[in-house]
Amino acid sequence: MAKIKMKKKSTSTDMTAMCDVAFLLLTFFILTATAKVPEVLPVDTPSSTVQTKLPDTDLATLTVGKGKVFFDLKGREIRKRTLELMAQKYEMTFSDDDMTKFALMESFGVPVQSLKQILDMKSADRTKAGQPGIPKDSLDNQLADWVQFARTANIEVNDKELQIAIKGDAKEEYPAIKKIMDILQDQKINSFSLVTGLRAKEK
């Protein structure tokens, strides 16, 4: 008796629902992602296998590269109070609008006398401005003042000691980093963090 052959039907899967889900996920990630703000002074940090996360608050970061030093400080109220103290010492006046801009801006590297010019710029223009770095020599050591007043402001606002981190370029000369360390040690700051990039462990 002859066998009855069944017709083979090609299986097809409707991918419409999967495409919808994929586009919804893509839209979600695009809308919730935050653009990375370009660094005013980009540095290539040395590699390390140590994984210790820096705190999100109570932190001042000194970025060193190309012979320049830039200063960054976490916390809007601390930044405002620090600028107030700097303005008092250098006999300058900053408006409330200037204070707000300073509280929101990224790291900077200009003498305090030129800070208003940087504050009036847009964020993208500050990166292109070619900031000369914060003065740190013996005749005009504004960097030491920024660190000192930031520590004072942090104690006033948060009642905590400010933590310091040095983010140096891997190609930076040692004397430039040592100069920063000397400024910190002059203020009895002997404990600070060195920012490094993560390196894969050798097998």
Side-chain angles (χ1 to χ4, degrees), residues 79-197:
R79 289 181 74 107
K80 287 181 180 180
R81 180 57 183 151
T82 303
L83 184 57
E84 286 176 3
L85 294 171
M86 285 292 289
Q88 289 173 12
K89 175 167 183 178
Y90 289 90
E91 298 179 352
M92 298 181 65
T93 304
F94 290 94
S95 66
D96 291 339
D97 188 43
D98 291 334
M99 291 283 185
T100 302
K101 288 179 182 177
F102 181 74
L104 298 172
M105 75 181 289
E106 62 283 353
S107 62
F108 63 94
V110 292
V112 69
Q113 295 84 354
S114 306
L115 189 56
K116 280 192 176 185
Q117 297 171 7
I118 296 296
L119 292 173
D120 290 337
M121 294 180 183
K122 293 180 179 177
S123 181
D125 295 333
R126 290 174 191 153
T127 307
K128 303 172 186 175
Q131 300 180 34
I134 298 173
K136 59 185 184 300
D137 55 50
S138 57
L139 297 176
D140 186 19
N141 197 343
Q142 292 187 19
L143 180 62
D145 292 333
W146 279 112
V147 172
Q148 181 61 52
F149 291 140
R151 294 175 69 200
T152 302
N154 198 65
I155 290 172
E156 289 179 4
V157 175
N158 293 333
D159 196 26
K160 291 181 182 178
E161 185 62 39
L162 184 70
Q163 298 187 53
I164 309 291
I166 300 175
K167 184 179 181 182
D169 193 278
K171 297 178 182 177
E172 190 66 28
E173 297 288 336
Y174 174 72
I177 304 295
K178 186 178 184 302
K179 174 70 175 176
I180 306 303
M181 293 180 179
D182 290 342
I183 290 172
L184 297 179
Q185 288 179 340
D186 287 343
Q187 297 186 28
K188 303 291 189 292
I189 304 173
N190 296 312
S191 177
F192 47 83
S193 302
L194 295 174
V195 180
T196 58

Side-chain angles (χ1 to χ4, degrees), residues 60-75:
T61 305
L62 310 178
T63 305
V64 188
K66 300 177 183 177
K68 303 175 183 178
V69 181
F70 281 58
F71 185 76
D72 191 20
L73 186 61
K74 302 291 184 186

